[in-house]
C-alpha cells in the first residue's frame, strides 16, 4: 500500500543521474508497452543497451534534460524528458527568425503514485528548462486512446493541434478500390 503524497516534501524532483539509468530504462520500457497495449513483453538485451545509451547521452546533453521524481525510501517513481528543438523561419519576409520549442517525451509515473501531483511537479522543472533555453512553446505526442494522458495534458494547458493517422496498406488499397 502506497502512502498518499500530500506535500512537495514527500518527493524530490531532480535531474537524472547516471546511477538512475537502470530504473529509467525500466520506465521507458513500461511506457512503450503501455502505449503499444497487449501482453507483457521483455525488451531484447541489445535494445536495452541502446535505450540506456540514449538516456545516458541525454543526461549529459546541455540541450536536453531528464527529470525524475524520487520518494525517499521508495526510490524513483517517475520521469520526464525534454529537449530543445530549434528551427529557422522559412519565409523570406520573416528574415533570420529562429523558433525554439521544448519537446517533451518519455513521461512516466508509476501507477501507484499517479494523481498525486508527481508529474505536475516534474513539469514545473521541464517548463523552467524550456524557458531558460528561450523556448516558450512545449510540444508532445500521445496516443488518441491514452485517456490518462489526454486528461492530464488538457488539465495542464495543452490543446490538440494535430492528429496522426495510421492504416494498413491493405485498408488503403481497399478504400482506393472502392473508388
Ligand atoms: C499521464 C501521467 C504521466 C500523469 O501523471 P500524474 O503524476 O498522475 O499527474 P498529476 O497527478 O500531476 O496530474 C496532473 C493533472 O491531471 C489530472 N489527471 C491525471 N491523471 C488523470 C486521469 N487519469 N483522469 C483525469 N485527470 C487526471 C490530475 O487530476 C491533475 O489535475 P489537478 O491538478 O486539477 O488535480 C501518468 O498517468 C502516467 O504515467 N501515465 C502512463 C504513461 C503515459 O501515458 N505517459 C504520457 C505519454 S505522452
Amino acid at each position: 500500500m502506497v502512502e498518499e503524497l500530500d506535500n512537495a516534501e514527500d518527493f524530490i524532483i531532480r535531474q537524472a543521474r547516471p546511477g538512475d539509468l537502470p530504473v529509467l530504462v525500466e520506465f521507458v520500457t513500461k511506457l512503450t508497452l503501455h502505449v503499444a497495449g497487449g501482453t507483457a513483453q521483455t525488451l531484447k538485451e541489445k535494445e536495452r543497451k541502446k535505450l540506456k545509451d540514449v538516456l545516458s547521452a541525454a543526461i549529459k546533453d546541455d540541450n536536453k534534460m531528464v527529470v525524475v521524481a524520487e520518494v525517499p525510501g521508495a526510490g524513483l517513481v517517475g520521469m520526464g524528458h525534454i529537449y530543445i528543438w530549434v528551427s529557422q523561419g522559412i519565409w523570406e519576409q520573416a528574415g533570420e527568425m529562429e523558433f525554439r520549442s521544448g519537446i517533451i517525451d518519455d513521461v512516466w509515473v508509476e501507477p501507484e503514485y499517479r494523481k498525486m501531483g508527481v508529474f505536475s511537479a516534474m513539469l514545473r522543472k521541464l517548463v523552467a528548462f524550456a524557458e531558460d533555453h528561450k523556448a516558450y512553446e512545449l510540444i508532445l505526442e500521445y496516443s488518441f486512446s491514452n485517456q490518462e494522458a489526454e486528461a492530464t495534458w488538457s488539465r495542464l494547458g495543452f490543446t490538440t493541434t494535430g492528429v496522426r493517422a495510421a492504416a494498413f496498406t491493405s485498408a488503403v488499397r481497399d478504400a482506393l478500390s472502392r473508388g
Side-chain angles (χ1 to χ4, degrees), residues 72-89:
L76 299 188
V77 300
M79 72 176 290
H81 178 192
I82 187 167
Y83 66 91
I84 305 299
W85 179 58
V86 183
S87 62
Q88 306 298 326

Side-chain angles (χ1 to χ4, degrees), residues 103-176:
I103 313 291
I104 295 180
D105 201 2
D106 295 341
V107 168
W108 179 261
V109 173
E110 288 283 73
E112 58 275 38
Y113 288 93
R114 289 182 192 163
K115 294 181 87 172
M116 298 181 191
V118 171
F119 182 66
S120 302
M122 289 195 286
L123 185 60
R124 276 192 199 98
K125 212 164 171 67
L126 300 180
V127 169
F129 180 85
E131 291 186 342
D132 285 350
H133 288 74
K134 301 194 176 357
Y136 301 102
E137 179 195 43
L138 300 172
I139 300 174
L140 56 88
E141 290 185 3
Y142 63 91
S143 302
F144 207 50
S145 57
N146 190 343
Q147 291 181 350
E148 266 171 343
E150 157 77 32
T152 304
W153 299 124
S154 62
R155 168 66 193 89
L156 294 172
F158 290 77
T159 54
T160 311
T161 57
V163 175
R164 177 187 289 168
F168 289 112
T169 50
S170 54
V172 176
R173 267 192 282 104
D174 286 351
L176 289 171

